[in-house]
Amino acid sequence: MALLFAQRLQVPVVMTDLDQARVDKGLAYAHAEIDKMAAKGRVNGDKANRLKGLITGSVTKEAFADADFVIEAVFEDMKVKQQVFAEVEQVVREDCVLATNTSSLSVTEMASGLKHPERVVGFHFFNPVAVMPLLEIVRAEQTDDPTLATAFVVGKSLKKSSVLVKDAPAFVVNRLLTRFLGEVTTAYDEGTPFEVADRALDPLGLPMSPFTLLQLVGPAVAYHVSETMHEAYPDRFYVSANLKKIVEAGKTAIWTYDSGTPEIDPEVAELFEQGDAPLSEEQVRDRALTALAQETQLMLDEGVVAEAQDIDLCMLLGAGWPFHLGGITPYLDRSGVSEKVNGKRFLPAGVASLP
Ligand code: CAA
């Protein structure tokens, strides 16, 4: 995120962290990404040096005193995020916007203890931040119009496509990803072989298999999001017992490619436990698609976004779903899943080339 702001807005960016070692690690990562861009010929030596000079680090939040826009991306824990915002509010100017990159927590609750909750807005990026074009902009209950308008202008200047979403648990992309990944990990937990569960969604043409995506997001983030979702909607969202185990053991990788084909990392395999009720690929896919159709309809009923096309756009730009299939709702309509699950289609005939 620091690199994106420096590169697109050409403004100084300061990153803070708990201690100097963490700050240095963050800076080294940003600098290494700039070196990679230089090696690809995307920026020349001068530009690379200028970009590196724009990104600095600090262990104190005083560094935000003259900031226009502060974005928090700390651990997914409401209390920690509230505390960070309270500290930042002591330091920043009256007109500074406070943005949160939370994956699933309530932006309204996060802002509730502040003197000026009206300047807090959700600003949710997708991994890898440099690549995925989507930004979910979350209007919390107190967010005022100038803050929201600023968030949209900043999003556009960052060359992202912004979609306005309601302050509902996990917003759009993470709600759908968590729902269908929950079905896949549960199928594994119940006894479905890893490779069967992992390739069950291949016909959808997604850029990554479910377990690869879990690894990209990071098991800890995926686990915390699934906890938030389970709390909000216990009937539909599961917390995988196996995911919990590997997070508690501090594992960041789930599978390895060492043998030439993807397989569960042997250390992770030792921690995992499976039941004895395996599903076939088709059954896993059916469960996942049924879950997606149900959740998409519920999101529209709750007004999380204005219309079905917003959900399609979010999945295309935030999760890399195949453009040529038009998004998730045309897929569910074409395959007949929408009618089976909800008794109706999402889109009328003719939209997104639907017959
Ligand atoms: N960091 C920076 N750049 C990266 C990168 C990374 N981790 N991974 C890939 N890239 C860059 C590559 O360098 C390459 O750039 P150039 O064209 O400049 O060389 C470009 O992305 C394309 O890379 P590849 O050709 O290697 O990869 P690909 O075509 O297989 O696409 C992908 C890679 C974009 C990640 C694709 O697999 C994809 O879209 N996956 C789905 C990702 C997804 O669902 N993200 C959302 C997760 S949910 C989330 O993040 C929210 C949350 O709150 C948890």
Side-chain angles (χ1 to χ4, degrees):
M1 278 189 265
L3 178 55
L4 186 72
F5 273 75
Q7 196 186 357
R8 301 281 189 226
L9 306 183
Q10 304 282 315
V11 293
V13 178
V14 56
M15 295 195 276
T16 65
D17 214 319
L18 290 173
D19 53 45
Q20 194 59 45
R22 288 181 167 95
V23 169
D24 290 344
K25 195 174 163 201
L27 282 177
Y29 181 87
H31 286 188
E33 288 295 307
I34 296 169
D35 287 336
K36 277 193 222 161
M37 283 159 50
K40 284 182 189 171
R42 300 261 160 88
V43 291
N44 63 26
D46 273 358
K47 183 82 189 284
N49 283 337
R50 244 180 299 140
L51 278 178
K52 285 184 187 173
L54 283 175
I55 306 175
T56 55
S58 167
V59 285
T60 114
K61 296 192 176 59
E62 303 296 323
F64 297 138
D66 62 349
D68 298 304
F69 196 95
V70 175
I71 177 160
E72 75 73 26
V74 300
F75 195 67
E76 280 295 290
D77 179 292
M78 181 58 82
K79 290 217 160 50
V80 177
K81 286 186 183 278
Q82 284 175 331
Q83 189 195 329
V84 165
F85 267 161
E87 284 170 28
V88 171
E89 191 176 48
Q90 303 290 321
V91 176
V92 293
R93 288 193 324 243
E94 283 280 301
D95 60 349
C96 174
V97 168
L98 301 185
T100 167
N101 186 42
T102 180
S103 298
S104 60
L105 298 174
S106 160
V107 181
T108 303
E109 192 183 338
M110 211 180 290
S112 58
L114 297 179
K115 272 184 263 151
H116 292 290
E118 69 281 0
R119 57 156 134 186
V120 178
V121 64
F123 208 68
H124 186 215
F125 289 99
F126 295 85
N127 287 307
V129 171
V131 185
M132 306 313 283
L134 180 68
L135 190 57
E136 288 176 343
I137 294 187
V138 188
R139 175 175 218 153
E141 273 170 29
Q142 314 91 322
T143 312
D144 65 13
D145 286 345
T147 302
L148 196 67
T150 306
F152 271 90
V153 172
V154 173
K156 189 169 184 204
S157 311
L158 294 172
K159 298 201 175 155
K160 297 291 178 190
S161 295
S162 303
V163 172
L164 179 64
V165 301
K166 190 173 141 176
D167 189 16
F171 321 117
V172 175
V173 173
N174 278 346
R175 179 158 168 183
L176 289 179
L177 290 185
T178 307
R179 184 76 204 274
F180 89 78
L181 287 177
E183 299 296 334
V184 175
T185 48
T186 305
Y188 173 83
D189 291 357
E190 287 172 2
T192 307
F194 170 75
E195 56 291 353
V196 173
D198 201 39
R199 65 167 182 257
L201 295 174
D202 280 0
L204 275 77
L206 308 183
M208 286 181 162
S209 72
F211 284 101
T212 310
L213 185 59
L214 264 183
Q215 190 149 301
L216 172 83
V217 169
V221 171
Y223 173 64
H224 288 300
V225 175
S226 69
E227 272 188 320
T228 305
M229 297 314 285
H230 179 69
E231 234 170 77
Y233 310 110
D235 301 344
R236 307 195 306 277
F237 287 85
Y238 317 110
V239 179
S240 161
N242 282 324
L243 190 57
K244 183 172 183 204
K245 273 191 202 150
I246 63 168
V247 172
E248 281 171 353
K251 302 278 172 215
T252 52
I254 298 171
W255 57 267
T256 138
Y257 208 69
D258 287 353
S259 68
T261 48
E263 58 185 7
I264 292 199
D265 184 289
E267 284 180 27
V268 168
E270 256 179 47
L271 296 169
F272 276 179
E273 276 174 38
Q274 276 194 299
D276 53 7
L279 298 183
S280 68
E281 245 176 81
E282 204 182 356
Q283 285 169 318
V284 178
R285 186 160 56 247
D286 191 50
R287 258 168 81 159
L289 288 175
T290 300
L292 280 171
Q294 188 192 32
E295 206 60 36
T296 302
Q297 186 59 51
L298 288 166
M299 286 159 73
L300 291 171
D301 295 346
E302 289 170 26
V304 176
V305 285
E307 54 186 14
Q309 283 93 334
D310 287 329
I311 295 183
D312 294 332
L313 192 66
C314 285
M315 297 313 277
L316 294 171
L317 302 181
W321 285 40
F323 269 87
H324 67 282
L325 296 181
I328 177 65
T329 64
Y331 184 90
L332 293 169
D333 282 349
R334 261 195 309 272
S335 55
V337 180
S338 319
E339 295 219 39
K340 198 170 114 202
V341 176
N342 301 319
K344 59 180 180 187
R345 295 156 58 122
F346 288 106
L347 300 165
V351 173
S353 303
L354 279 170

